[in-house]
Amino acid sequence: MDLHAAQDALKARAPFIPEIAVVLGSGLGALADCVEAQQGLSIPFTELPGFPAQTVEGHAGRLVFCELEGRRVLLQAGRFHYYEGHSLDLVTAPMRLYGRLGIPAVLHTNAAGALHPGFRVGELMVLRDHINFMGEHPLRGPNVPPGPRFPDMTEAYDPGLRAKLHQAAQAVGQRLQEGVYLAVSGPSYETPAEIRAFRAMGADAVGMSTVPEVLVARHEGMKVAAVSCLCNMGAGILPQPLAHQEVLEAGKAASAAFANLVRAFLRQ
Ligand code: HPA
């Protein structure tokens, strides 16, 4: 995917260089509709050259440049999912754009299933680390300079930003878990045997996004933090099947807590 035209278009329209990009995951997009965001500048992905007109979900999402809690931020509402059939090149293209625009940090958010027996539905989890189980790597192929051919992932999730998220949670009196996120391609939910296997591998949560974007954001040299909304317990943990509707509703129920956490984080 040639991103030069999109890079130029974004540079030309960006009213400022944001301090951080916040990627709002499934059901967590309410922040992009807040008053501050409505006063900001909204750019649909469809207006950036090279991005598809529509995703399978019917909307490609948008970027909102705005001021939140005294900070200049870029909110990304909606993302391109691998399970929709998009290439990892497209899935991670926003990270290349942010890196080239000079944004120094990204906060990712997503919906995930909880595997850790101590976690409860509706809680939020800071990612300490990840396991890439998608079966593909976004950096495969010719290296994109100036990033290194073999980027280090020892501290993929910035310890300083993680500490700030915990301070933010404490400041607003919210419970915030921490753990390892395992990414699958989806779109099916896992089998109970897969969930047991992932648990044995050291995963605390499972989801269908974020990891490709984190790998590319790190390759771009950006600091990364990520938070999962634990929308359901992993398949087979509870004696009932998973329903996408219930996952969505749990996300919606947690979205206020989530917006609170992001705002408190920006104030830190
Ligand atoms: N598995 C994978 N992705 C998910 C889940 C899950 O249980 N819940 C929300 N996204």
Side-chain angles (χ1 to χ4, degrees), residues 9 50 53 66 80 86 94 114 154 160 162 168 201 204 218 221 230 246 262:
C66 65
F80 301 96
H86 298 305
T154 311
R162 271 158 51 203
M201 286 165 70
D204 300 302
R218 293 298 296 139
L230 304 170
E246 284 171 36
V262 172

Side-chain angles (χ1 to χ4, degrees), residues 33 110 182 222 224:
D33 296 317
N110 60 49
L182 183 145
M222 291 187 278
V224 168

Side-chain angles (χ1 to χ4, degrees), residues 111-113 184 189-190 206-208 231-234 242 247:
V184 291
Y189 288 118
E190 297 68 40
V206 59
M208 304 175 193
C231 291
N232 57 281
M233 296 308 289
L242 297 191
V247 174

